[in-house]
Amino acid sequence: MSFTIAIIGRPNVGKSTLFNRLVGQKLALVDDMPGVTRDRREGEAKLHDLSFTIIDTAGLDEGPKGSLTARIQEQTETAIALADALFFVIDARIGLTPADRAFADFARRADKPVLLLANKSEGKHGELGAMESYALGLGDPIQISAEHGEGMGELYDAVSKLVPPTEDEDEEHEETDEERAARPIRVAIVGRPNAGKSTLINHLLGEERLLTSPEAGTTRDSIAVEIEYKGRGFRIFDTAGLRRRSRIEEKLEKLSVADALRAVRFAEVVVLMMDAQNRFEEQDLRIADLIEREGRALVIAVNKWDLMEAQPGQIAGLRRDADHWLPQVAGAPIVAVSGLMGEGIDRLMQAIVQSYAVWNRRVPTAALNRWFEGAIANNPPPAVSGRRLKLNYITQTKARPPSFVLFCSRADAIPQSYLRYLVNSMRETFELPGTPVRITLREKANPFAHKRKRPN
């Protein structure tokens, strides 16, 4: 594991802004409201020629044992235990507070190298606050502005004494097929608030890595965790619950939802979690439609199945309901699980692997041509305005998801109903359940179009 640094400090001193600056992406949510970050988040930081793992943590705070605040604090303490060094961040514009002094003692007790960062140091007020920080006894403060990128050179000088420089490879390494197969599958877990997403991931990890609570909206950031399950690697993203847009009022929830949607776009397989007692509600269908439009492989997990009264034919009923409500992803795997009790986890992970394989599938050209001729013979395209539509041939252009180009005479005249027929027939013939199938229409060039008619 690479050298690891945890960013700690009281709430709203700019820890997540610094995290985003170092990883080069806006991964962590940032807002003026204190306490936005709850779970710890890891990223690969780059500071000139230095590479290291950086951990963003929740603001150090105190709360009664068992409360959400206390459990957030436990997440921060775990990050400190995993780290090789600490960035202790203060707000230079505000100056030292009693909380800063208390948590400075906490940082010293960790018995690890601590770099004192006086953030928001731009301007005269920031300069005065940075001078105050000498009183913490953590050495010389490094004056930075995480938002504007100031002081990164001084930060580099301090970090370089802890982290060895990364040697650049002279030759570019080309990824082999074996390496691609060994790459973790990127999986996003999405659903309505309080569907049990974090509880499921905690069970997979075998530890309370992600905060859970009966209160909806506990998860805010999209947190990525690495797991290995039966020899296969997975990078799983826990996301905030997705509600209807009309119900989202707070700015922070809008940021959380945007972060969840970004996780969907970067995922390869998306697990849509539903509550077993309130499944296939309107918002579930909207989320499934979004996943299909983004072109991701879909697995449906019906959670809290342990709360359902056992009845014959329940699983078959789930299959019928899924195909009825989600015809655009017909055949998508649907698994009954209990994230709390660990029921159905094996089936869920197997469904993810199978959906990933289907999403990457390429259809042999010969088989595709035979299917195409048979599909047209069994159900010819309709005539439009008295003119017959001619479908010439079809070819697969890419996988992830399976995408095809259909060459035809009049692309704008082919009805959507006929395209749905081709997609459904293709799903059945080539075993493409659940994954989005894309067919793009392209008019075949007329080789005689450029020639003028000869005069009589």
Side-chain angles (χ1 to χ4, degrees), residues 74-335:
E74 289 171 6
Q75 290 281 328
T76 301
E77 291 172 359
T78 302
I80 292 172
L82 292 172
D84 299 302
L86 306 176
F87 285 166
F88 186 84
V89 185
I90 67 163
D91 187 334
R93 285 187 304 201
I94 294 177
L96 289 188
T97 67
D100 288 322
R101 298 178 190 275
F103 295 131
D105 293 335
F106 180 81
R108 273 193 293 270
R109 289 197 299 272
D111 195 26
K112 294 183 178 182
V114 180
L115 296 182
L116 175 60
L117 308 186
N119 191 30
K120 309 179 187 179
S121 288
E122 63 274 22
K124 185 169 62 176
H125 294 294
E127 182 79 21
L128 294 173
M131 293 304 103
E132 279 186 41
S133 64
Y134 276 101
L136 294 175
L138 294 174
D140 296 340
I142 303 169
Q143 298 182 47
I144 66 168
S145 170
E147 184 174 1
H148 299 102
E150 297 177 9
M152 292 298 111
E154 290 77 5
L155 181 60
Y156 169 82
D157 292 338
V159 175
S160 62
K161 297 174 183 176
L162 305 173
V163 183
T166 305
E167 295 182 5
D168 293 329
E169 297 182 3
D170 294 330
E171 297 182 3
E172 261 187 45
H173 175 68
E174 187 174 343
E175 190 178 46
T176 64
D177 291 339
E178 290 78 11
E179 287 172 330
R180 275 193 291 271
R183 225 173 24 198
I185 300 174
R186 296 194 302 274
V187 182
I189 312 289
V190 302
R192 289 181 286 121
N194 221 22
K197 301 180 287 296
S198 299
T199 302
L200 173 71
I201 297 174
N202 282 340
H203 188 89
L204 287 170
L205 290 169
E207 61 171 309
E208 291 295 315
R209 169 64 179 84
L210 302 169
L211 290 173
T212 59
S213 170
E215 175 191 349
T218 301
T219 301
R220 289 173 173 171
D221 284 292
S222 294
I223 304 297
V225 295
E226 302 272 356
I227 70 166
E228 187 172 306
Y229 198 86
K230 295 190 175 179
R232 186 67 191 257
F234 298 85
R235 184 171 176 80
I236 299 185
F237 294 82
D238 184 26
T239 64
L242 299 172
R243 296 196 298 165
R244 277 193 317 217
R245 186 178 299 176
S246 59
R247 293 187 177 180
I248 300 173
E249 297 177 356
E250 294 183 6
K251 176 188 173 185
L252 180 57
E253 187 175 358
K254 291 179 181 178
L255 292 171
S256 298
V257 168
D259 206 29
L261 297 179
R262 187 161 52 246
V264 170
R265 295 185 183 105
F266 282 97
E268 295 166 320
V269 181
V270 180
V271 176
L272 171 57
M273 289 200 72
M274 301 181 187
D275 189 317
Q277 296 172 311
N278 300 286
R279 55 187 184 265
F280 295 107
E281 293 197 350
E282 182 183 358
Q283 184 63 1
D284 295 324
L285 306 183
R286 289 177 182 271
I287 296 171
D289 190 55
L290 167 71
I291 296 167
E292 192 278 334
R293 283 187 279 112
E294 291 294 338
R296 306 298 159 213
L298 171 66
V299 174
I300 302 170
V302 181
N303 194 27
K304 306 180 184 179
W305 195 251
D306 54 309
L307 302 179
M308 298 293 291
E309 184 180 346
Q311 293 179 359
Q314 280 182 313
I315 302 299
L318 285 180
R319 176 77 274 158
R320 288 193 300 271
D321 289 345
D323 289 342
H324 170 73
W325 291 108
L326 300 171
Q328 70 273 40
V329 283
I334 183 164
V335 185

Side-chain angles (χ1 to χ4, degrees), residues 314-449:
Q314 280 182 313
I315 302 299
L318 285 180
R319 176 77 274 158
R320 288 193 300 271
D321 289 345
D323 289 342
H324 170 73
W325 291 108
L326 300 171
Q328 70 273 40
V329 283
I334 183 164
V335 185
V337 300
S338 169
L340 184 63
M341 308 301 294
E343 298 172 5
I345 299 297
D346 282 336
R347 293 192 298 274
L348 176 62
M349 300 308 290
Q350 185 179 359
I352 291 172
V353 173
Q354 290 173 347
S355 295
Y356 178 74
V358 171
W359 190 64
N360 282 275
R361 184 166 296 166
R362 280 192 170 274
V363 179
T365 303
L368 187 63
N369 288 332
R370 286 195 298 271
W371 162 80
F372 187 58
E373 291 171 1
I376 294 176
N378 292 334
N379 185 10
V384 178
S385 301
R387 295 173 59 191
R388 186 170 65 92
L389 297 174
K390 186 175 182 182
L391 306 185
N392 301 102
Y393 61 94
I394 190 170
T395 183
Q396 184 171 5
T397 54
K398 72 179 190 70
R400 304 167 63 91
S403 301
F404 305 83
V405 172
L406 172 59
F407 290 86
C408 54
S409 58
R410 288 186 293 155
D412 58 342
I414 295 180
Q416 287 298 314
S417 57
Y418 194 76
L419 289 180
R420 284 195 295 273
Y421 156 70
L422 292 177
V423 167
N424 291 334
S425 175
M426 194 180 296
R427 282 190 197 281
E428 185 177 348
T429 304
F430 299 116
E431 297 182 349
L432 300 172
T435 194
V437 175
R438 302 282 189 256
I439 295 182
T440 303
L441 300 176
R442 189 172 298 169
E443 293 186 10
K444 190 175 180 183
N446 184 351
F448 304 104

